[in-house]
Amino acid sequence: MGAEDLTRRYIQPYRCISVSVQIAVDHDRIFGALSDATRRDIVRRAIDGQEGVAELAAHYPMSFAAVQKHVAMLERAGLVSKHRIGRRKVVRTNVEGLRVARRLLDQYEDLWRERVERMNQLISESPKEADR
């Protein structure tokens, strides 16, 4: 067995697994970040990209450091980014990060619609078979 055959047989399947795991980790980060109401509100406020971390902190009954931690979690999830404008760090929503979340939710919706449709088919078929 040559090196190319070994690579195809043993290494390529693991590449697929690592890609799947990485996608799952990214989804976990995104939905973990969006699981908190304050972080969802920060994402909403940052769509305009006008407020810095200090201005965002003024909206919440928590310390500046706590808001910084929320923003950092959103950054790690790819949902916001910070840009320096002068002395301010302006927070902007990363719309592509939200699109990733939306695509996953759309996939789940399609999956469940298919399952409900299949259940409806099975239910509608059952009485016909019982009449025989």
Side-chain angles (χ1 to χ4, degrees), residues 114-126:
E114 289 171 10
R115 288 180 178 182
V116 168
E117 180 59 34
R118 180 66 183 137
M119 286 189 296
N120 287 336
Q121 288 174 353
L122 290 171
I123 290 169
S124 67
E125 291 172 4
S126 294

Side-chain angles (χ1 to χ4, degrees), residues 3-111:
E4 187 176 309
D5 293 329
L6 287 172
T7 300
R8 190 176 310 117
R9 184 171 181 185
Y10 294 107
I11 296 175
Q12 287 180 343
Y14 291 107
R15 286 185 184 153
C16 295
I17 291 169
S18 67
V19 168
S20 298
V21 170
Q22 182 60 44
I23 290 169
V25 168
D26 291 343
H27 289 154
D28 288 346
R29 277 194 194 121
I30 290 169
F31 288 107
L34 292 172
S35 68
D36 181 80
T38 299
R39 289 190 291 268
R40 288 191 304 272
D41 192 58
I42 290 170
V43 169
R44 182 186 61 79
R45 289 178 187 277
I47 287 175
D48 296 335
Q50 301 295 318
E51 293 185 293
V53 178
E55 290 93 353
L56 286 170
H59 296 289
Y60 309 105
M62 61 183 74
S63 68
F64 176 79
V67 173
Q68 279 184 310
K69 287 180 182 181
H70 282 299
V71 170
M73 186 171 191
L74 290 167
E75 272 188 296
R76 283 191 300 273
L79 294 169
V80 300
S81 59
K82 288 190 290 191
H83 302 278
R84 188 169 286 284
I85 298 178
R87 296 185 333 174
R88 295 174 60 225
K89 283 190 178 178
V90 176
V91 180
R92 291 190 184 129
T93 297
N94 177 5
V95 178
E96 186 53 39
L98 292 175
R99 286 187 182 126
V100 169
R102 178 58 193 243
R103 281 192 295 269
L104 182 63
L105 291 173
D106 287 344
Q107 289 173 1
Y108 282 126
E109 181 180 5
D110 291 344
L111 174 75

